[in-house]
Amino acid sequence: MKYIFVTGGVMSGLGKGITTASIGRILKNRGFLVTAVKIDPYLNIDAGTMNPAQHGEVFVLKDGGEVDLDLGNYERFLDINLTSKHSITTGKIYRAVIEKERHGDYLGGTVQIIPHITDEIKRRIKDAAESYTENGRKADVCLVEVGGTVGDIESMPFLEAVRQLVGELPKSDIALVHVTLVPEDNMGDHKTKPTQHSVKALRESGLHPDVIVGRCITVMSPSTKRKISDFCDVPSRAVITAATAKDTYEVPIEMEKEGMASVIMDLLGLGERSANNDWYRMVTVEYTNRITVAVVTKYGVEDVYISIKEALKHAGRKLSTEVIIKWIDAENFTDADFADVDGIIIPGGFGPRGIEGKINAIRYARENNVPLLGLCLGFQLVVIEYCRNVLGWKDSTSEEMGPGKHVIAILPEQENVTNLGGTMRLGDCEIDLKKGTRIEKLYGATKIVERHRHRYEVNPAYIAEIEKAGLVFSGSSGTRMEVGELNRDSFFLATQFHPEYKSTPSHPSPPYLGFVEACAKSKRV
Ligand code: GLN
């Protein structure tokens, strides 16, 4: 097993996750089997309880792990399915060590950050790397992204664990990539001082980078690279520019041009291999069409909806259709805001804020034959809108939102849940699709597996009446309604599951493909 550790300097938000995923893609295009681990140095056990407006989307893995959005980037870039093991947090590490201490496993010893915490970190990294298989084959390379910024108190035990691994593993089994900021001054000159300082901070942790990735707006000149090389003891060829790309999927292509592949393969003794460029071709297919899609949101931060954005992009590339997103504030819009869009998406969400606006947007789509895709909460609101405006049950709502007729009710197993962390209906689940419905045609199957993250469901007491009124529940798992659609020409479909979590450039999600195709067909603008 070879390890590539990716650390970050200067500031957060430099695109370490995309850099990590891109290095993985570069190796994958050369036939290596790659897996990836994200370390988040916060004390939360997982991302499930974190406010998405602060932290970005909570990504959901097949085993139900609620994790940082970077794991979504790894899955999309690398076409892999990760598990909760691939998300390591300070919370998980300390909990495990403290549980062992209570159990008496340390036999009276004093439990300390070194060696007990660092041992637990190393054990978990190795376990995540070694346990990953695809068709019975183990990974060749494991990427490990250390979240946070070098110099933070929080990430110190993780950097110490990496330092120990450098000493323990053969030199050719481990490479360190440090991502830093290389700002440009008014004259357009690249400034290397922040990089010098962050490499210095890294060295204080006992780590020496093998590769420096400089995030900048334009490509660094050879003389800037030489300067970084001189100050930071890294060969010039291992100073790689990560200039701002048009699209994140183009980052690996840019890194190829910078010579990342041979630098990494030399460091890890992986020999010479040329790349299969099919993936690069796929993510740069020319657009011949363009649509505008409204996403009605309450959080107002694009990172909250990253999987939806990416799923639209995947479907769009497949159909050579550029998808422009118009973000609509659920609490502040009028019907006129939809005049220039070709379709409407109602994404997932929690709590009552913004739901009346979302319900109005659904009514608009239903009445005006505008393609509509509802996701999770969006599915529940499709049901509520139908009950209110077609069945005439004006007080219909979800139990989550307050008093009224609860056409959406709490899942039975959720009734007595008091802990919020990791207790929703989460992860992969098998779903049956009704033959002859739109959803079944989109998937081309009557059994599918998709991921969930919710606590409420369509109230079984009302299913028959709602269906009688014309809303078709075309997907279900047991007694649980999973898909709702209208049997009509214009696309009107909503899912209780989140199809965006499984969408990748190579396998665009069927509901998204259907939606984008419908928008392109009925294009209004
Ligand atoms: N709040 C809703 C529920 O818990 C929907 C969740 C979501 O959209 N992810 O059921």
Side-chain angles (χ1 to χ4, degrees):
M1 179 65 62
K2 310 267 181 187
Y3 292 92
I4 301 173
F5 286 90
V6 181
T7 56
V10 185
M11 63 179 212
S12 61
L14 287 181
K16 247 187 327 193
I18 297 294
T19 302
T20 306
S22 298
I23 295 171
R25 182 30 80 177
I26 286 171
L27 293 170
K28 181 131 185 171
N29 285 356
R30 287 168 171 77
F32 296 105
L33 208 150
V34 180
T35 188
V37 173
K38 173 78 194 284
I39 291 173
D40 280 301
Y42 44 66
L43 277 161
N44 305 61
I45 298 288
D46 58 37
T49 56
M50 298 174 95
N51 180 352
Q54 264 176 40
H55 191 72
E57 173 184 272
V58 178
F59 190 75
V60 179
L61 301 171
K62 66 175 181 183
D63 68 358
E66 297 173 282
V67 295
D68 186 82
L69 57 81
D70 274 324
L71 282 101
N73 286 324
Y74 305 158
E75 290 204 346
R76 289 186 284 268
F77 272 71
L78 301 173
D79 276 304
I80 54 178
N81 282 311
L82 299 171
T83 66
S84 300
K85 279 187 181 176
H86 299 94
S87 165
I88 297 176
T89 64
T90 298
K92 283 184 188 168
I93 299 287
Y94 275 75
R95 182 166 73 175
V97 170
I98 290 168
E99 272 169 11
K100 281 188 211 165
E101 185 275 331
R102 293 288 79 185
H103 191 248
D105 294 2
Y106 296 115
L107 302 172
T110 308
V111 181
Q112 295 179 299
I113 294 183
I114 303 172
H116 301 98
I117 294 292
T118 46
D119 280 354
E120 182 66 20
I121 294 169
K122 289 189 289 181
R123 189 188 69 73
R124 285 188 177 234
I125 291 172
K126 286 183 182 160
D127 181 37
E130 300 282 350
S131 65
Y132 184 85
T133 57
E134 268 173 48
N135 305 322
R137 190 179 143 200
K138 283 192 166 203
D140 304 303
V141 179
C142 179
L143 295 144
V144 185
E145 178 187 349
V146 184
T149 306
V150 168
D152 293 348
I153 290 178
E154 293 193 314
S155 50
M156 282 182 179
F158 295 102
L159 295 177
E160 169 59 18
V162 179
R163 190 194 65 78
Q164 292 176 17
L165 282 172
V166 171
E168 291 163 19
L169 296 172
K171 197 166 169 17
S172 65
D173 281 358
I174 186 162
L176 298 186
V177 177
H178 187 58
V179 183
T180 99
L181 177 71
V182 182
E184 284 160 56
D185 66 12
N186 292 343
M187 314 290 285
D189 288 335
H190 289 103
K191 309 305 284 180
T192 65
K193 197 71 82 189
T195 301
Q196 295 176 37
H197 281 293
S198 84
V199 169
K200 204 169 145 201
L202 190 62
R203 281 174 166 168
E204 280 164 12
S205 312
L207 292 170
H208 184 89
D210 298 304
V211 180
I212 292 179
V213 175
R215 277 288 283 119
C216 26
I217 298 167
T218 57
V219 176
M220 280 187 265
S221 66
S223 69
T224 308
K225 289 188 175 182
R226 204 169 319 123
K227 199 164 168 191
I228 293 177
S229 158
D230 288 344
F231 277 103
C232 305
D233 288 327
V234 168
S236 247
R237 67 186 277 262
V239 180
I240 306 276
T241 300
T244 305
K246 269 208 312 290
D247 185 88
T248 50
Y249 297 114
E250 292 185 23
V251 174
I253 304 175
E254 296 303 320
M255 284 187 177
E256 290 271 6
K257 290 185 201 150
E258 286 280 299
M260 178 67 100
S262 59
V263 169
I264 291 283
M265 299 211 302
D266 286 353
L267 279 165
L268 296 179
L270 293 171
E272 277 293 315
R273 274 197 206 178
S274 53
N276 173 339
N277 290 325
D278 291 351
W279 193 87
Y280 298 143
R281 274 191 286 276
M282 179 180 62
V283 295
T284 52
V285 164
E286 291 285 334
Y287 293 128
T288 53
N289 199 359
R290 177 186 292 162
I291 58 168
T292 303
V293 166
V295 181
V296 185
T297 71
K298 93 168 193 196
Y299 294 107
V301 185
E302 290 184 25
D303 258 4
V304 176
Y305 305 102
I306 180 167
S307 290
I308 294 177
K309 255 168 68 175
E310 296 305 315
L312 284 169
K313 211 190 281 171
H314 306 153
R317 281 282 179 205
K318 182 96 181 181
L319 300 166
S320 303
T321 299
E322 185 175 9
V323 183
I324 309 289
I325 297 180
K326 179 174 181 182
W327 302 99
I328 303 262
D329 176 356
E331 291 179 288
N332 187 20
F333 71 89
T334 64
D335 284 1
D337 288 305
F338 296 128
D340 58 356
V341 306
D342 303 304
I344 299 175
I345 290 190
I346 311 293
F350 294 83
R353 190 166 63 80
I355 68 154
E356 293 307 321
K358 290 180 176 180
I359 290 171
N360 252 329
I362 295 166
R363 177 200 47 76
Y364 177 88
R366 190 176 50 76
E367 290 178 352
N368 296 283
N369 289 316
V370 178
L372 177 114
L373 179 63
L375 306 160
C376 203
L377 177 67
F379 163 76
Q380 298 171 357
L381 297 178
V382 158
V383 174
I384 293 172
E385 193 278 331
Y386 207 76
C387 289
R388 283 189 190 177
N389 299 328
V390 178
L391 281 128
W393 301 343
K394 290 295 173 204
D395 61 341
S396 295
T397 189
S398 164
E399 199 172 343
E400 183 182 6
M401 312 305 173
K405 188 178 174 92
H406 289 151
V407 295
I408 302 297
I410 189 95
L411 287 160
E413 72 272 22
Q414 292 285 331
E415 267 175 57
N416 299 313
V417 167
T418 46
N419 263 355
L420 292 185
T423 54
M424 280 187 244
R425 180 178 183 226
L426 290 166
D428 268 6
C429 172
E430 198 169 272
I431 293 155
D432 295 306
L433 304 182
K434 261 189 209 156
K435 260 203 136 45
T437 58
R438 187 188 292 274
I439 194 82
E440 186 253 344
K441 283 180 201 141
L442 286 172
Y443 279 90
T446 50
K447 268 199 194 308
I448 58 164
V449 172
E450 289 284 4
R451 296 184 195 168
H452 292 88
R453 183 171 191 250
H454 68 118
R455 288 189 205 282
Y456 297 84
E457 64 166 338
V458 181
N459 189 337
Y462 301 117
I463 291 170
E465 277 172 280
I466 297 169
E467 282 217 290
K468 219 166 129 205
L471 185 65
V472 182
F473 290 118
S474 50
S476 59
S477 66
T479 55
R480 252 147 232 189
M481 296 304 105
E482 293 281 358
V483 187
E485 59 179 86
L486 288 180
N487 184 6
R488 66 180 195 187
D489 282 346
S490 64
F491 189 98
F492 189 94
L493 184 138
T495 62
Q496 180 63 77
F497 52 85
H498 290 267
E500 59 274 10
Y501 286 142
K502 281 179 64 175
S503 184
T504 71
S506 331
H507 296 99
S509 165
Y512 282 83
L513 274 173
F515 173 71
V516 170
E517 193 178 29
C519 293
K521 239 196 223 150
S522 64
K523 199 163 137 90
R524 309 192 301 170
V525 286

